[in-house]
Amino acid sequence: MAAKKQEKSGPKKRKQIPGTKSETYSSTSKKPKFLDSKPSNPRSNDFKKPSKPFKQREPGLDNEKQIPLSKREGRLRAKELAESRKKKRKRHYNLEQELAHLWEKMRRRNISKEERSKLVSEAVEKMKGKIPEIACSHVSSRVLQTCVKYCSQAEKDAVFEELQPHLLTLACNTYAVHLVTKMLDNASKKQLAGFISSLRGHVASLLRHMVGSVVVEHAYQLGNATQKQELLVELYSTELQLFKDLVSKKEGRLLDIISKLDLQKSSVLRHMTSVIQPILEKGIIDHSIIHRVLIEYFTIAEKFSATDVIKQLSGPLLVRMIHTRDGSRVGMLCVKHGSAKERKKIIKGMKAHVRDIALDKAGSMVLVCLLSVVDDTKLITKVVIHELQENLKDLVLDKNGRRPLLHLLHPNKSQYFTPDDLASLSLSIPSLSNKVESDTQSETKSSEDNRSGEEASSDLEVTVDEANTNDDDIHLVEGGKKDPSIRRQELLVKSGLAERLVDVCTENAGELLRSNFGKEVIYEVATGGDGGILHPILDEKLNALYEAIASLVAEPKSEESTEESKEEHILENFHSSRTIRKLILDCPTFASTLWNKALKGKCELWAHGHSGKVIVAFLESSDPKVHKLAKKELQPLIDGGILKIPETKVASGAKE
């Protein structure tokens, strides 16, 4: 027993004399072993560091009474906090119930304006002082939105004033974001300007946020040109973020800003890359402000940077951004400068969305660019052309949907595309334009066309003034190596699109001729397209179309318009009469079919009004056969003053 006691007391003695040679240290630890191990003696607690500092002793209380007193105080304090939270939750719940009850009444349709106004005022009064908290609530935020919709302007201003210090925080809240956008819609010019100024320094971070980006985009859409510029320049460089007054409204383009302020291009490029990359990685690319930034980025981007952005956008991601003007231009640049692999991803990403893209004003131009540039006609036929065929009638009658069809029938005709549309097709990325120029040099027929292509692609932003608005054919930067005429033949004729298009025109000839937009498609189809691309193969189908139009013209003229026959005769309609007149002038085969089947012997009946212009077109035709067909019957009408023709035509007829 004595020996055991001595063994136990051994470590105790060694602990009392640290630093002696008998101490053993661990090879991996700087501390001695006895500091790592638990002490066997209760008195060795002196070596422990207390987890919490002891409460300072108060006079008149010993240590034994002091510790139990602090525990009691802690319990009481925790209990008080729990009760206060419980009361706060109960008050909030009661307020929510009251607001929900008022909301059910105020949102009814059969309620009078006076009663709704009273309910809204009551709800706003109850929410006063708690509006920022209520705006973040799943239930109460809807009540607040309804109140903002129907309340008076003074109440709206009061709500806006209470929310103003918290707008940036609320902009990132899933429920409050709807209220913030509604408040911006109803904000005065001064309030909107104040909010846009409050975004200064936070635009880039908000654009990286899925919810916050919606608020920035909404403010961008509502702002004037100066306010839009204020939001944009912050994304260009840190200098412009700190000193917003450096840029005026005149310097809209990034290149102009860099040249005026003498900024370092490399510094601006680095800053914009740091802003754009996180946005692209998160897939937040639906907003027009981001599309504008990307367009400006491409003007200064180096070859590697531009190629990297094109790779990231190629695919389904691009479909989400081609609904805006700038987004459409970004899409066209990706198509023109992307590799064959990236173009394939873009086309496959459009699968099941081609109809919606074609019906969109901006999206239809991306389809036009695809049909002009991509060499893989089999893939385009499989994805794009087949979906166009399935919805052909809807597309032909739509202002935007007919654009890809008209482009295949008559490429780049200024009658069907605005100068801005044709200018957008001529855009290119400066750092990648050399590659495009070398490709076009290998695929074009003459060196003169190459020079015009280089001039067209020298700058990314081709303005409307720079575009040649008088000429029908504007040279476009081609990204493919295939001959444009061969590509057009494969996409329009060999794919079966042209045959289906002629059938649709034949089946719906009357509706298309009377339509403001469909008349141009049926005209291009009936004339055989630019260069007569339809004539050798589809002559029989075209003859059937001529006969279908002639049968409509041959229908008897209705003397009295009844409620049952609301449609005008095909020769008396404004659109159809002018289209038929153009077809007589430009298509001799149609003119002879129409005369023999519908108009021969009936010219006196149609000599007045819109139909008179159709009859006169036979004498205005440059084809002698068409002129000879009608001259015998029309000359007495002219001599009798029933039919009038332009003086120039009368003079030419007298010479003949």
Side-chain angles (χ1 to χ4, degrees):
M1 293 294 289
K4 287 181 181 180
K5 286 182 180 179
Q6 286 177 2
E7 287 175 5
K8 286 183 180 179
S9 61
K12 184 177 173 184
K13 291 178 181 177
R14 283 158 56 186
K15 283 185 184 178
Q16 289 173 356
I17 314 170
T20 57
K21 292 182 180 180
S22 61
E23 291 175 353
T24 56
Y25 294 90
S26 172
S27 59
T28 58
S29 177
K30 294 181 180 179
K31 295 182 179 180
K33 278 189 177 180
F34 67 85
L35 290 178
D36 294 335
S37 60
K38 291 183 179 181
S40 57
N41 197 333
R43 294 182 181 177
S44 62
N45 287 336
D46 297 336
F47 290 98
K48 284 186 178 180
K49 289 185 178 179
S51 57
K52 293 182 181 179
F54 289 110
K55 192 173 180 181
Q56 190 177 0
R57 295 183 181 181
E58 295 181 12
L61 290 175
D62 56 5
N63 194 28
E64 293 179 1
K65 293 180 181 179
Q66 184 70 32
I67 296 172
L69 188 61
S70 64
K71 287 181 180 178
R72 200 181 303 116
E73 286 178 349
R75 290 194 199 98
L76 290 171
R77 195 174 293 111
K79 191 175 180 180
E80 288 173 2
L81 288 171
E83 286 178 357
S84 66
R85 288 195 202 100
K86 190 176 180 181
K87 288 178 182 178
K88 190 176 180 181
R89 281 196 299 268
K90 191 175 181 180
R91 285 196 302 270
H92 187 70
Y93 176 77
N94 292 336
L95 180 61
E96 278 189 348
Q97 293 299 311
E98 291 174 14
L99 293 174
H101 184 65
L102 291 170
W103 186 50
E104 290 297 332
K105 291 181 180 179
M106 72 174 71
R107 71 193 187 107
R108 288 182 302 180
R109 293 184 180 178
N110 58 350
I111 190 173
S112 64
K113 289 184 178 180
E114 293 78 11
E115 190 178 351
R116 177 180 283 154
S117 179
K118 288 179 183 178
L119 293 170
V120 167
S121 299
E122 186 182 347
V124 171
E125 189 63 32
K126 287 180 179 292
M127 289 186 284
K128 214 169 188 180
K130 310 178 190 71
I131 290 178
E133 183 183 349
I134 288 169
C136 299
S137 172
H138 174 58
V139 179
S140 305
S141 61
R142 298 185 182 186
V143 185
L144 189 53
Q145 290 171 44
T146 308
C147 290
V148 169
K149 183 179 180 181
Y150 294 112
C151 67
S152 63
Q153 189 59 45
E155 289 171 332
K156 286 177 185 176
D157 293 339
V159 173
F160 190 89
E161 189 177 348
E162 191 171 340
L163 287 175
Q164 194 167 8
H166 311 278
L167 282 175
L168 287 177
T169 308
L170 296 174
C172 298
N173 185 275
T174 310
Y175 306 118
V177 66
H178 305 293
L179 176 66
V180 174
T181 53
K182 194 176 288 291
M183 292 301 299
L184 292 178
D185 288 332
N186 298 317
S188 63
K189 290 183 179 180
K190 186 178 180 181
Q191 289 171 339
L192 181 63
F195 176 74
I196 291 175
S197 297
S198 69
L199 292 176
R200 186 176 163 191
H202 305 280
V203 177
S205 59
L206 285 172
L207 285 175
R208 290 194 294 268
H209 196 279
M210 199 67 71
V211 178
S213 60
V214 176
V215 177
V216 177
E217 170 66 12
H218 204 72
Y220 182 76
Q221 292 293 336
L222 293 172
N224 55 33
T226 307
Q227 290 166 342
K228 286 181 179 180
Q229 184 81 336
E230 185 180 340
L231 293 171
L232 281 170
V233 294
E234 187 175 324
L235 306 173
Y236 294 160
S237 73
T238 50
E239 292 89 346
L240 298 175
Q241 181 178 340
L242 295 171
F243 309 103
K244 65 173 184 177
D245 297 331
L246 291 174
V247 182
S248 64
K249 184 182 172 182
K250 294 179 182 178
E251 293 86 28
R253 297 171 57 190
L254 179 58
L255 288 172
D256 296 336
I257 294 171
I258 291 173
S259 61
K260 184 192 175 185
L261 301 179
D262 199 20
L263 298 174
Q264 289 187 357
K265 192 175 177 181
S266 58
S267 174
V268 174
L269 184 61
R270 276 197 306 272
H271 180 78
M272 291 188 74
T273 304
S274 67
V275 169
I276 289 170
Q277 280 302 324
I279 294 172
L280 296 182
E281 287 170 6
K282 290 186 176 183
I284 309 173
I285 42 79
D286 303 274
H287 308 308
S288 59
I289 185 172
I290 296 170
H291 305 164
R292 185 65 204 169
V293 172
L294 285 170
I295 283 287
E296 296 294 346
Y297 180 76
F298 280 139
T299 60
I300 64 166
E302 297 173 353
K303 191 173 182 180
F304 175 78
S305 304
T307 307
D308 189 43
V309 172
I310 290 172
K311 283 181 181 178
Q312 287 179 280
L313 291 175
S314 298
L317 204 64
L318 194 67
V319 179
R320 290 167 45 198
M321 63 185 301
I322 57 178
H323 61 279
T324 66
R325 177 178 176 269
D326 291 322
S328 171
R329 292 187 168 200
V330 171
M332 286 187 272
L333 291 173
C334 290
V335 169
K336 291 164 88 170
H337 294 288
S339 62
K341 186 178 179 181
E342 287 152 7
R343 289 174 179 174
K344 190 174 182 179
K345 286 181 181 179
I346 292 170
I347 294 168
K348 286 188 173 181
M350 291 181 176
K351 197 171 184 179
H353 301 288
V354 174
R355 180 183 177 276
D356 297 331
I357 294 170
L359 294 174
D360 185 73
K361 182 180 179 181
S364 59
M365 292 307 299
V366 180
L367 288 182
V368 169
C369 183
L370 274 173
L371 299 174
S372 304
V373 170
V374 180
D375 289 338
D376 193 351
T377 53
K378 288 186 178 179
L379 181 62
I380 292 183
T381 302
K382 186 178 178 181
V383 177
V384 178
I385 301 296
H386 283 180
E387 285 196 42
L388 292 177
Q389 287 178 352
E390 291 172 3
N391 306 279
L392 208 51
K393 185 182 175 182
D394 295 336
L395 297 175
V396 165
L397 292 168
D398 187 78
K399 181 181 179 181
N400 302 314
R402 68 199 175 116
R403 283 169 152 190
L405 305 173
L406 289 171
H407 178 72
L408 288 172
L409 290 166
H410 197 138
N412 312 323
K413 191 173 182 181
S414 59
Q415 184 181 345
Y416 308 137
F417 297 95
T418 64
D420 185 61
D421 293 333
L422 295 173
S424 66
L425 290 170
S426 300
L427 298 178
S428 66
I429 300 173
S431 60
L432 300 175
S433 59
N434 294 329
K435 177 190 171 187
V436 175
E437 287 168 13
S438 64
D439 288 344
T440 52
Q441 285 172 5
S442 64
E443 71 189 32
T444 50
K445 295 178 181 179
S446 63
S447 59
E448 293 179 2
D449 292 337
N450 293 333
R451 291 192 203 102
S452 62
E454 290 169 9
E455 291 172 1
S457 62
S458 61
D459 191 10
L460 177 61
E461 282 290 336
V462 179
T463 60
V464 178
D465 294 331
E466 291 170 351
N468 188 359
T469 57
N470 296 323
D471 297 336
D472 284 352
D473 299 326
I474 295 180
H475 180 78
L476 304 178
V477 179
E478 295 290 341
K481 297 180 180 179
K482 189 176 287 188
D483 191 304
S485 60
I486 296 173
R487 184 192 296 113
R488 182 169 162 240
Q489 180 81 19
E490 291 174 353
L491 291 173
L492 183 59
V493 181
K494 291 183 180 179
S495 66
L497 177 63
E499 185 177 357
R500 176 66 184 138
L501 192 57
V502 177
D503 290 340
V504 169
C505 291
T506 306
E507 294 165 7
N508 306 278
E511 187 178 358
L512 291 176
L513 286 169
R514 291 183 179 94
S515 168
N516 187 23
F517 306 121
K519 65 179 183 182
E520 294 171 343
V521 178
I522 197 171
Y523 168 78
E524 290 293 345
V525 171
T527 53
D530 185 38
I533 192 171
L534 305 182
H535 277 306
I537 301 171
L538 299 170
D539 276 344
E540 292 183 7
K541 294 269 186 183
L542 291 175
N543 289 331
L545 174 61
Y546 301 155
E547 290 179 5
I549 297 173
S551 63
L552 290 171
V553 175
E555 291 179 358
K557 183 178 181 180
S558 58
E559 295 180 0
E560 295 181 0
S561 60
T562 60
E563 292 182 1
E564 295 179 358
S565 59
K566 290 182 179 179
E567 277 191 340
E568 295 175 294
H569 191 275
I570 201 78
L571 290 181
E572 294 179 327
N573 182 268
F574 177 84
H575 298 299
S576 58
S577 61
R578 279 153 177 76
T579 307
I580 293 171
R581 178 182 176 277
K582 282 177 66 181
L583 285 172
I584 292 169
L585 295 172
D586 299 335
C587 186
T589 309
F590 169 77
S592 60
T593 303
L594 182 67
W595 176 262
N596 293 323
K597 188 170 182 178
L599 295 177
K600 191 175 182 179
K602 302 177 183 177
C603 291
E604 188 175 354
L605 182 66
W606 300 108
H608 304 282
H610 292 310
S611 56
K613 297 176 182 178
V614 177
I615 303 300
V616 172
F618 284 94
L619 297 177
E620 295 176 351
S621 175
S622 58
D623 191 281
K625 293 180 181 179
V626 175
H627 195 274
K628 189 177 180 181
L629 273 175
K631 187 175 182 181
K632 186 178 179 180
E633 185 175 339
L634 296 181
Q635 192 62 45
L637 298 176
I638 295 169
D639 296 339
I642 298 172
L643 195 66
K644 295 181 180 180
I645 59 174
E647 294 180 1
T648 54
K649 297 298 176 184
V650 172
S652 63
K655 288 178 182 179
E656 291 175 2

